[in-house]
């Protein structure tokens, strides 16, 4: 954030690599193991009782299976990390675009602060939702 | 007009896909936060995810992420190794080919899968 | 063969700009500069452009030819693969007349990185020694002729920010920073690691593609980025 851009440049690359690893896991878990590949439930430690409930009500399936993962403290840490790294990389990227394309000093400063603000709000929404999550069942 | 060469095209696409991904990130975090409001609220969000328009958007998002990721990987290689910098045009075309191939395969699976 | 040459014209007295079109009979092995000289001799003596050595050494005749920055003295008509030759001044700098631009901003950018030898402490008692290996590190960046093709091809300079130090200055910085005899790196790093410095470069490779000396400028900038991250 200082005028010295070297750390920001390095951070953007380090977070890029982190996102590659974390997002890969995230997509594989939520959008493959828990989606097309039903066997994911076994890996994630769903008992016979859980599976019976899920099979009984297809509507409940998506929420219930996600809730099970969301309630797990280890995955909470994972999701908070991903949200933090993702919002940093994404919104710093937007800031860098504004730095380039907005040539008027005043508008650039406003654009930067609006970007930081939106990024911070999104980060708070995500982190609060993940940390405070407790499953609600029908 | 100045010719748009490979590196410039990749740079423009990198910015456009980056903005698109951030836009999705905002929607994604905001809608997933509804998990805490209970199954009814969450299921309502999931229903909108199942609309054709949203699913088409998700397939396009896959394309954006594939390009942004592959091109980002190329940029890291190019900025950290002389080897990759010397071969930047070859590597740029490689990112295009890989992105298109993975997009067709992945997009087909995504479109075929149910919600 | 016959070619159509469109040349950018600007008259500072009337502040008007236009393109003039000339139909010329040329040899495919003529250079663009030859055609320009023929136009100046035979068609319109008022056309203004810089040229000096005509052999790709002095760097005077950089211009935008068919959408790419090049030296007019290095481009053969046959290599353009087009019967239409569109010539503009290099972009991002004030046009003084026709194809002549004000290079002061460009040289000011170069001066910022202190493109001269700064002795290290302590200075050796006799002459400086340098191994062949150490010399090879910055060999490529010694070849710069300061024509301005790279800096004016870069969107970060042309579109956004005329304060951007620019690729040519990075080439100069590379030439001295990676010189084992030089001791002025601390002073130069301040300019490089700045909001108008290295980090406005997005590895677009326009500079590398434009360089008439075939310097891999983007690679040199990559070297500087890594050096700056480690040493700052």
């Amino acid at each position: 954030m200082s005028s010295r851009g070297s750390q920001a440049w390095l951070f953007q690359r380090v977070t890029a690599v982190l996102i590659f690893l974390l997002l890969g896991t995230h997509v594989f878990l939520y959008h493959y193991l828990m989606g097309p590949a039903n066997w994911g439930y076994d890996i994630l430690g769903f008992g016979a009782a859980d599976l019976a409930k899920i099979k009984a009500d297809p509507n409940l399936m998506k929420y219930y299976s996600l809730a099970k993962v969301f309630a797990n403290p280890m995955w909470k840490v994972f999701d908070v990390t991903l949200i933090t790294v993702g919002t940093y990389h994404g919104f710093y990227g937007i800031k860098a675009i504004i730095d380039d394309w907005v040539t008027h000093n005043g508008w650039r400063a406003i654009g930067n602060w609006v970007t930081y603000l939106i990024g911070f709000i999104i980060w708070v929404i995500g982190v609060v939702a993940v940390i405070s999550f407790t499953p609600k069942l029908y | 007009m100045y010719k748009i060469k490979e590196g410039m095209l990749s740079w423009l696409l990198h910015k456009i896909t980056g903005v698109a991904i951030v836009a999705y990130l905002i929607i994604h975090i905001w809608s997933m936060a509804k998990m805490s409001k209970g199954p009814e609220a969450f299921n309502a969000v999931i229903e909108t995810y199942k609309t054709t328009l949203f699913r088409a958007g998700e397939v396009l998002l896959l394309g954006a992420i594939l390009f942004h990721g592959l091109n980002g990987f190329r940029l890291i290689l190019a900025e950290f190794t002389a080897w990759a910098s010397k071969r930047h045009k070859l590597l740029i075309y490689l990112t295009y080919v890989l992105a298109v191939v993975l997009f067709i395969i992945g997009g087909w699976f995504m479109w075929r899968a149910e919600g | 063969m016959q070619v159509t040459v469109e040349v950018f014209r600007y008259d500072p007295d009337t502040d008007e700009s236009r393109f003039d079109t000339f139909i010329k009979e040329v040899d495919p092995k003529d250079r663009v500069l030859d055609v320009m000289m023929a136009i100046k001799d035979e068609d319109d003596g008022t056309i203004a452009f810089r040229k000096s050595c005509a052999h790709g050494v002095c760097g005077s005749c950089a211009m935008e030819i068919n959408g790419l920055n090049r030296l007019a003295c290095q481009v053969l008509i046959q290599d353009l693969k087009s019967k239409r030759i569109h010539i503009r001044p290099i972009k991002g700098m004030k046009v003084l007349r026709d194809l002549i631009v004000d290079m002061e901003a460009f040289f000011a950018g170069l001066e910022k990185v202190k493109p001269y030898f700064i002795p290290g402490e302590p200075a050796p008692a006799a002459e400086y020694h340098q191994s062949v290996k150490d010399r090879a590190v910055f060999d490529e960046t010694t070849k710069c002729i300061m024509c301005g093709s790279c800096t004016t091809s870069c969107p970060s300079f042309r579109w956004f920010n005329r304060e951007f130090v620019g690729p040519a200055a990075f080439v100069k910085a590379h030439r001295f920073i990676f010189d084992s005899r030089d001791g002025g790196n601390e002073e130069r790093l301040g300019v490089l690691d700045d909001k108008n410095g290295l980090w406005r470069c997005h590895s677009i490779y326009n500079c590398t593609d434009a360089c008439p000396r075939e310097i891999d400028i983007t690679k040199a900038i990559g070297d500087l980025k890594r050096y700056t991250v480690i040493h700052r």
Side-chain angles (χ1 to χ4, degrees):
Chain A
M1 305 227 184
S2 66
S3 66
R4 279 175 56 177
S6 48
Q7 297 105 324
W9 178 81
L10 191 64
F11 268 29
Q12 200 68 351
R13 274 128 194 92
V14 171
T15 50
V17 174
L18 282 175
I19 287 170
F20 177 77
L21 300 172
L22 296 173
L23 192 64
T25 313
H26 170 90
V27 169
F28 187 64
L29 174 68
Y30 290 131
H31 304 286
Y32 182 71
L33 284 189
M34 299 178 47
N38 277 322
W39 49 270
Y41 299 119
D42 303 330
I43 290 181
L44 294 166
F46 282 73
D50 292 327
L51 282 172
K53 263 187 195 168
I54 291 168
K55 294 236 165 71
D57 184 355
N59 243 348
L60 190 60
M61 187 167 117
K62 196 80 181 179
Y63 174 81
Y64 193 70
S65 55
L66 274 174
K68 188 86 183 171
V69 181
F70 267 37
N72 181 330
M74 196 193 85
W75 286 111
K76 282 191 177 188
V77 172
F78 177 91
D79 280 333
V80 168
T81 314
L82 180 56
I83 289 170
T84 306
V85 175
T87 47
Y88 172 82
H89 183 92
F91 284 93
Y92 189 83
I94 301 287
K95 183 228 176 250
I97 294 175
I98 290 172
D99 276 350
D100 271 351
W101 291 80
V102 183
T103 45
H104 182 277
N105 282 338
W107 285 114
R108 186 168 59 233
I110 292 169
N112 285 348
W113 283 110
V114 169
T115 309
Y116 291 145
L117 187 68
I118 296 174
F120 182 69
I121 291 170
I122 292 298
W123 179 78
V124 169
I125 291 175
V127 168
V128 167
V130 168
I131 291 177
S132 68
F133 181 76
T134 40
K136 291 189 186 71
L137 290 176
Y138 287 104
Chain B
M1 202 184 97
Y2 205 83
K3 265 190 193 147
I4 295 180
K5 306 263 293 185
E6 296 86 346
M8 181 121 155
L9 180 65
S10 282
W11 168 66
L12 289 170
L13 287 173
H14 199 75
K15 302 283 141 170
I16 294 166
T17 52
V19 171
I21 294 165
V22 169
Y24 179 80
L25 181 75
I26 294 173
I27 298 169
H28 192 59
I29 291 181
W30 183 77
S31 63
M32 282 297 131
K34 293 215 189 285
M35 280 290 285
S36 14
K37 289 199 165 62
E40 291 88 353
F42 181 72
N43 282 349
V45 172
I46 290 298
E47 281 311 306
T48 63
Y49 275 34
K50 283 179 181 165
T51 58
T52 314
L53 186 71
F54 200 91
R55 291 190 59 206
E58 278 185 329
V59 173
L60 288 180
L61 178 80
L62 172 77
I65 289 175
L66 281 172
F67 178 80
H68 196 86
L70 285 165
N71 192 53
F73 183 61
R74 174 190 69 84
L75 277 173
I76 291 176
L77 279 185
E79 285 175 341
F80 282 89
T81 70
W83 177 89
S85 197
K86 291 262 177 235
R87 290 158 185 79
H88 75 273
K89 276 190 189 155
L90 174 76
L91 290 174
I92 287 171
Y93 286 119
L94 200 63
T95 59
Y96 293 162
V97 171
L98 268 178
V100 168
V101 168
L102 291 175
F103 174 65
I104 290 170
I105 297 171
W108 187 72
F109 275 106
M110 266 176 83
W111 190 249
R112 207 191 52 159
E114 282 179 44
Chain C
M1 67 187 274
Q2 203 178 55
V3 289
T4 310
V5 189
E6 297 158 9
V7 186
F8 179 86
R9 303 299 302 272
Y10 171 75
D11 184 348
D13 295 332
T14 58
D15 195 31
E16 278 168 9
S17 60
R18 63 177 194 276
F19 277 92
D20 278 353
T21 306
F22 304 95
I23 314 281
K24 296 300 285 180
E25 193 59 42
V26 297
D27 188 292
K29 288 191 177 62
D30 277 347
R31 302 165 303 170
V32 171
L33 186 66
D34 298 325
V35 182
M36 295 291 292
M37 292 302 285
I39 291 172
K40 195 172 169 68
D41 287 345
E42 298 156 15
D43 300 280
D44 187 343
T46 66
I47 282 188
F49 55 92
R50 288 195 180 103
K51 66 142 300 225
S52 182
C53 78
H55 291 83
V57 178
C58 74
S60 306
C61 61
M63 42 189 88
E64 191 186 301
I65 302 164
N66 285 6
L68 290 175
N69 282 356
R70 324 181 220 213
L71 297 182
C73 65
Q74 279 191 333
V75 183
L76 302 187
I77 302 298
Q78 63 187 14
D79 293 339
L80 289 174
K81 296 183 172 58
S82 165
K83 292 202 179 223
R84 178 178 161 273
I85 305 172
H86 189 78
I87 300 174
R88 290 184 42 101
I90 47 178
K91 285 188 184 122
M93 287 187 276
K94 189 172 171 285
V95 178
L96 298 176
R97 177 186 285 278
D98 298 348
L99 301 172
I100 296 177
V101 295
D102 184 355
M103 299 282 281
E104 284 308 315
F106 172 74
F107 290 120
L110 285 183
E111 277 166 28
K112 280 189 205 159
V113 301
K114 300 181 193 290
Y116 42 80
F117 184 74
I118 298 170
E121 295 285 338
E127 69 270 24
Y128 284 88
H129 289 287
Q130 186 165 54
S131 67
V132 173
K133 195 164 158 266
D134 283 346
R135 175 61 173 73
V137 174
F138 62 92
D139 189 56
E140 202 167 315
T141 44
T142 61
K143 293 175 184 162
C144 174
I145 54 175
M146 294 176 281
C147 64
S149 291
C150 56
T151 297
T152 56
S153 75
C154 177
S156 291
F157 178 83
R158 230 174 54 208
W159 292 359
F160 307 136
N161 183 3
R162 307 283 156 81
E163 301 289 312
F164 176 48
V165 177
F170 295 144
V171 168
K172 283 284 163 200
H174 185 279
R175 185 253 169 273
F176 288 100
I177 281 178
F178 290 100
D179 187 334
S180 58
R181 301 163 297 187
D182 186 274
N185 288 1
E186 268 308 308
E187 299 169 51
R188 295 193 189 97
L189 283 184
V191 181
L192 297 181
D193 191 7
D194 177 84
K195 66 176 165 41
N196 293 323
L198 280 176
W199 319 113
R200 305 305 290 266
C201 162
H202 308 301
S203 298
I204 295 167
Y205 285 94
N206 266 11
C207 53
T208 305
D209 288 335
C211 182
R213 306 289 297 195
E214 294 175 350
I215 302 171
D216 195 341
I217 302 175
T218 314
K219 184 219 150 246
I221 298 175
D223 293 343
L224 286 172
K225 283 174 177 169
R226 293 194 303 281
Y227 184 88
T228 308
V229 163
I230 293 165
H231 291 87
R232 283 280 280 192

